[in-house]
Amino acid sequence: MGPQHPSTHGVLRFELCLKGETVKYIIPHCGYIHRGIEKMCEKITYQQIIHLTDRFDYLSAHMNNEAVCLAVENALEVEVPERVKYIRTILAELNRIASHQLWWCAFGMDLGALTTFFYGLRDREYILDIFEESFGSRLLHSFNYPGGLMHDIHPDFQKKVKEFIKYFRKKLPEYDQLLTGNIIFQQRAIGMGYMSKEDAISYGVTGPSGRGSGFKCDVRKHHPYSAYSKVDFKEILYTEGDTFARYKARIDEMWESMNIIEQLIDNIPAGDFTAKMKPIIKLPVGDYFQRVETARGELGCYIVSDGNKNPLRVKFRTPNFSNLFVINKIASGNKIADLVAISGSLDLVIPDIDR
Amino acid sequence: MYDFTSFTTWVHNALYSSMSPGWAMLIELAIVGIIFIAFYAVIGLYLVYAERKVCALIQNRKGPNRVGPLGLFQTIADLFKLLGKELIKIKNADQFLFNLAPFIVIIASFMAIAALPFAKGLHAIDLNIGIFYLFAVSSLGVIGILLAGWSSNSKYSLIGAIRSGAQVVSYELSVGLALLSVVIFSGSMQLSTIVESQANGWWIIKGHIPAIISFLIFLVASTAETNRGPFDLAEAESELTAGFHTEYSGIKFAFFFLAEYMNMFIVAAIASTVFLGGWMPFHLPGLDGMNHVMDYIPGFVWFLGKTAFIIFIMMWFKWTFPRLRIDQLLKLEWKYLLPLNLMNIVLIAFIVLMGWYIK
């Protein structure tokens, strides 16, 4: 199945052992987008790494960049202005909503409900327009920068975001009407692809997929960064561990993200959009680690520095790699049609696996 | 009420008085054939257009709007594109059956429209076993689908065809039993009699609860029988990519596509004839003034309007529902629809015996 199958969401290949239509076991093959971003990072400066980290999970580009920025800032012991922290948090949550919207589209499409695709894209357009206006690009906005932001936000940014929240609070219940409450959808999702909490922990399944199994793994809550310590939000936890729980976790996260943005958007402090930084960043000798919560789970950025302007070694712990390999555990024994639903519920972005 | 019987008998008599009976019959057949082929093509093309417009309406899109006013000529342009495409020859495929399959599917749906009453006196043939005939020929299409899957020399096609076979054959039972309810009510299998029996109200109103149950069962089962979403397991694109017509290209693929839409038209037409009165205007006993006004609207407008309404419902749930899994699909039929249907038949028999319906 794959690498050109319509429902593997990119160039992912599953080698399936079948008995009739029942899947006996699944061997995921990755490496069809071989890119070597980690190796390329060794040859370029810290500022340039930003433009590569955009690309591995292009649906949560902002959070990927944030990991590198925070790691560099920690290493240099730079304190970024409060304004930067607030804006970073708001953008990360907007990006998370956009990512979950696209996941919802694609998940519905995997199950044969094509209309979801257009509903999700319709609402996602609002966020992408805000991004485009603010940074000039819609998907790969390298807006985070070691020490702060590339430039200040657009004057209309706050107004637009508030308009979007108002709009999306009305539109999100439509998602439930269209898909969540549908009896056919529930039959396809409830009890399907059970992942126990132990499995989630031992495979390192993080993000909404892990939280659907009751694994408390929200980095925003347990290791707060940026402005997450200042806002009040719930960690979405479901204990059922099935496809429906993972689905509900993401829908609820969109509500939570909107709450977070609403708490911050009116209180963005005035001030500079970047800390005082030298034009050439050289990290002190040592190794640095920073984790952030992307739309798909925990992203770790590990930098080993030998004191030069480019890192000695960079390693990313990306969420999709570990989320993918649990698939044999949870989907074997089900039908092929369920494999499609289960892999959809894990919300895989393939370039993130082959960084 | 417009009565086409006088017109058709005039044509008939004119032909038979001016030439030998053999030639007259031949010319009559040719006229009917040409009209039906033209009708078939127009309906098929414009159902594709309607589907794209309805799906655009549901999905907040515009749909075809470039070729001609409102994109009305889009599907005609598509037809020419499909005609121009290469017909790919599949290696090691059974060429004869491979080429035959689209024609069987087309012929099966073509035979069914012959018996449909489009308006009073406007049908090619009025069989006294009309429902039986429709029921029989509309299920022939599955042979074409099975042949297509079998002869394509492709595993996706074969799985799609076998799924489709299992699905169509099992849902055929529910379709038949749902139609039987009206046969019990009206006491006839002849379509013209069934339509005439609805002059004082349609069966869905006159037969109240059991007729509504039958109508809903018919809608679900006929959607499944025509392989449309949410029951489009035969071509589930997330599992099988396209199902039984994976290997077909160009106009041969278009034949399957056309037949699918014609089948949808046929089941909608049957539902409107049997449950919603066919060409019979909306009548309520006692309100003669209103009934008289309703009679001014021609019968085929009523017929096509009701059919379009049912087609819209079928398109509506195609574009909102996710797809079932194959085992859930068969479970729905054998464990829920069929027992419900059988109980409903008993209920109808009881109601007809007691005379608890509007006569």
Side-chain angles (χ1 to χ4, degrees):
Chain A
M1 187 170 165
Q4 288 160 323
H5 195 272
S7 55
T8 50
H9 298 254
V11 280
L12 175 64
R13 177 165 170 247
F14 289 129
E15 197 177 321
L16 305 180
C17 179
L18 298 172
K19 188 175 185 189
E21 259 190 77
T22 311
V23 181
K24 283 307 193 192
Y25 62 84
I26 306 153
I27 309 167
H29 288 268
C30 41
Y32 285 90
I33 313 183
H34 34 77
R35 308 202 288 180
I37 282 180
E38 284 163 0
K39 189 70 189 166
M40 281 154 80
C41 289
E42 294 170 15
K43 300 285 174 218
I44 54 181
T45 64
Y46 291 101
Q47 287 99 326
Q48 286 167 329
I49 291 177
I50 299 300
H51 302 281
L52 290 181
T53 50
D54 272 347
R55 268 126 182 115
F56 45 68
D57 180 355
Y58 45 83
L59 296 175
S60 42
H62 187 88
M63 289 84 107
N64 295 348
N65 290 342
E66 205 172 358
V68 181
C69 293
L70 290 170
V72 171
E73 284 152 16
N74 286 349
L76 294 171
E77 289 172 349
V78 172
E79 181 67 27
V80 294
E82 282 293 291
R83 184 177 175 80
V84 174
K85 289 184 181 175
Y86 273 66
I87 294 171
R88 275 182 180 173
T89 311
I90 292 168
L91 289 176
E93 292 310 314
L94 277 179
N95 211 331
R96 192 183 315 279
I97 294 177
S99 167
H100 285 346
Q101 282 168 342
L102 189 69
W103 158 79
W104 186 76
C105 308
F107 185 49
M109 207 168 64
D110 283 346
L111 296 172
L114 208 64
T115 304
T116 60
F117 199 76
F118 293 91
Y119 276 53
L121 286 188
R122 174 195 67 192
D123 301 335
R124 183 167 172 260
E125 204 66 7
Y126 272 73
I127 297 182
L128 295 189
D129 283 345
I130 293 171
F131 286 169
E132 190 181 11
E133 190 184 60
S134 297
F135 337 121
S137 60
R138 293 159 73 82
L139 209 58
L140 304 172
H141 38 80
S142 311
F143 191 59
N144 268 322
Y145 203 67
L149 305 169
M150 278 279 191
H151 48 80
D152 210 351
I153 48 171
H154 193 271
D156 280 347
F157 180 76
Q158 276 160 297
K159 197 182 97 209
K160 286 272 171 68
V161 171
K162 275 192 272 187
E163 270 171 21
F164 166 74
I165 298 284
K166 207 176 145 204
Y167 165 83
F168 196 50
R169 276 192 185 278
K170 279 211 231 40
K171 290 292 176 187
L172 194 48
E174 245 179 39
Y175 288 26
D176 288 337
Q177 286 167 10
L178 189 61
L179 204 55
T180 318
N182 190 304
I183 179 81
I184 298 176
F185 170 70
Q186 291 190 353
Q187 280 190 355
R188 292 290 306 270
I190 291 177
M192 211 48 73
Y194 174 71
M195 170 163 52
S196 65
K197 189 178 172 186
E198 287 71 34
D199 286 341
I201 292 170
S202 60
Y203 281 89
V205 179
T206 50
S209 313
R211 291 196 283 278
S213 303
F215 175 23
K216 289 183 186 168
C217 55
D218 199 331
V219 183
R220 297 174 292 172
K221 199 83 184 168
H222 300 293
H223 306 275
Y225 53 95
S226 293
Y228 284 113
S229 51
K230 296 186 183 66
V231 288
D232 174 39
F233 69 103
K234 280 208 303 283
E235 180 177 3
I236 307 296
L237 273 185
Y238 279 88
T239 46
E240 291 88 348
D242 56 359
T243 302
F244 195 63
R246 293 190 280 274
Y247 172 90
K248 288 288 281 177
R250 288 199 177 83
I251 295 281
D252 289 0
E253 265 198 11
M254 287 198 252
W255 287 110
E256 276 311 309
S257 293
M258 284 196 283
N259 287 340
I260 295 173
I261 295 171
E262 275 189 336
Q263 288 173 45
L264 296 175
I265 191 73
D266 282 324
N267 310 321
I268 300 176
D272 215 355
F273 60 85
T274 175
K276 289 263 180 295
M277 296 283 279
K278 284 182 189 151
I280 293 170
I281 295 173
K282 285 183 180 173
L283 296 201
V285 181
D287 48 350
Y288 309 99
F289 181 68
Q290 175 64 43
R291 48 182 167 185
V292 295
E293 178 80 16
T294 74
R296 274 154 209 83
E298 183 180 318
L299 177 88
C301 170
Y302 182 67
I303 299 176
V304 182
S305 170
D306 56 354
N308 274 329
K309 67 179 189 301
N310 47 346
L312 181 70
R313 179 82 177 88
V314 176
K315 166 76 187 157
F316 292 105
R317 184 264 181 223
T318 52
N320 283 309
F321 190 78
S322 22
N323 289 6
L324 167 66
F325 282 89
V326 77
I327 192 123
N328 180 39
K329 183 87 187 170
I330 64 175
S332 55
N334 289 315
K335 300 265 190 296
I336 297 181
D338 292 326
L339 170 65
V340 170
I342 293 165
S343 76
S345 77
L346 290 174
D347 190 12
L348 301 170
V349 168
I350 311 307
D352 197 34
I353 296 164
D354 306 325
R355 24 208 206 276
Chain B
M1 216 184 297
Y2 295 83
D3 193 346
F4 285 90
T5 325
S6 53
F7 174 71
T8 45
T9 37
W10 175 74
V11 173
H12 182 79
N13 292 336
L15 279 173
Y16 273 77
S17 61
S18 61
M19 58 187 79
S20 67
W23 277 108
M25 193 180 75
L26 210 61
I27 287 176
E28 242 174 37
L29 285 177
I31 291 171
V32 171
I34 287 165
I35 290 173
F36 270 136
I37 288 173
F39 180 76
Y40 192 95
V42 168
I43 287 284
L45 283 177
Y46 280 95
L47 277 179
V48 177
Y49 173 79
E51 170 108 295
R52 289 167 72 174
K53 277 289 184 191
V54 169
C55 114
L57 173 78
I58 291 170
Q59 298 177 341
N60 300 307
R61 297 189 288 141
K62 282 209 171 78
N65 61 354
R66 291 302 164 100
V67 189
L70 297 169
L72 273 170
F73 301 137
Q74 178 66 52
T75 42
I76 295 170
D78 287 345
L79 175 75
F80 281 110
K81 187 189 77 179
L82 284 166
L83 278 169
K85 285 204 170 187
E86 187 193 352
L87 292 171
I88 295 165
K89 237 183 165 179
I90 309 297
K91 208 175 175 184
N92 295 333
D94 188 333
Q95 290 301 330
F96 176 68
L97 293 182
F98 187 75
N99 292 330
L100 184 68
F103 290 101
I104 292 185
V105 175
I106 285 274
I107 287 168
S109 61
F110 202 82
M111 279 161 83
I113 58 169
L116 294 176
F118 289 92
K120 192 177 172 67
L122 196 66
H123 38 217
I125 184 161
D126 187 20
L127 293 164
N128 58 357
I129 48 158
I131 284 197
F132 207 58
Y133 170 80
L134 280 177
F135 186 41
V137 294
S138 67
S139 56
L140 276 179
V142 70
I143 297 175
I145 290 173
L146 283 172
L147 280 185
W150 175 255
S151 61
S152 290
N153 189 28
S154 155
K155 286 182 179 63
Y156 283 135
S157 304
L158 188 62
I159 294 173
I162 289 171
R163 277 182 169 194
S164 183
Q167 181 182 333
V168 174
V169 168
S170 47
Y171 275 88
E172 196 72 49
L173 289 169
S174 280
V175 170
L177 288 174
L179 290 179
L180 206 58
S181 63
V182 173
V183 175
I184 298 173
F185 273 130
S186 63
S188 170
M189 274 194 174
Q190 195 167 4
L191 286 166
S192 58
T193 321
I194 289 176
V195 176
E196 295 287 356
S197 72
Q198 305 181 65
N200 60 341
W202 305 341
W203 277 120
I204 196 160
I205 301 164
K206 291 204 295 181
H208 53 88
I209 298 165
I212 291 168
I213 296 174
S214 285
F215 178 66
L216 293 178
I217 290 173
F218 183 83
L219 264 189
V220 173
S222 59
T223 312
E225 207 203 329
T226 49
N227 276 329
R228 283 182 59 80
F231 308 105
D232 54 348
L233 266 298
E235 48 177 284
E237 83 274 351
S238 57
E239 306 146 41
L240 297 179
T241 63
F244 64 88
H245 54 61
T246 309
E247 305 296 339
Y248 284 86
S249 64
I251 197 68
K252 280 193 227 165
F253 164 73
F255 276 178
F256 281 114
F257 208 59
L258 192 65
E260 184 189 322
Y261 282 96
M262 276 317 286
N263 280 332
M264 186 168 66
F265 175 78
I266 289 162
V267 293
I270 295 172
S272 78
T273 307
V274 167
F275 293 100
L276 302 180
W279 49 261
M280 188 61 74
F282 185 68
H283 286 167
L284 280 177
L287 296 170
D288 286 336
M290 191 195 76
N291 293 349
H292 195 64
V293 173
M294 290 294 182
D295 283 346
Y296 278 107
I297 303 171
F300 59 88
V301 173
W302 279 104
F303 175 78
L304 291 178
K306 288 167 193 172
T307 310
F309 171 70
I310 291 169
I311 288 173
F312 176 75
I313 293 180
M314 287 167 74
M315 286 176 177
W316 182 7
F317 58 68
K318 164 158 183 154
W319 293 112
T320 41
F321 282 5
R323 186 181 298 121
L324 275 91
R325 214 170 53 216
I326 186 73
D327 56 319
Q328 290 172 343
L329 179 94
L330 295 177
K331 202 159 116 192
L332 174 73
E333 161 66 12
W334 292 103
K335 286 197 175 164
Y336 300 104
L337 284 188
L338 199 59
L340 182 67
N341 224 329
L342 290 170
M343 280 190 281
N344 196 33
I345 292 279
V346 175
L347 180 68
I348 289 169
F350 184 68
I351 281 177
V352 170
L353 275 179
M354 303 301 283
W356 285 346
Y357 65 102
I358 305 161
K359 288 188 188 74

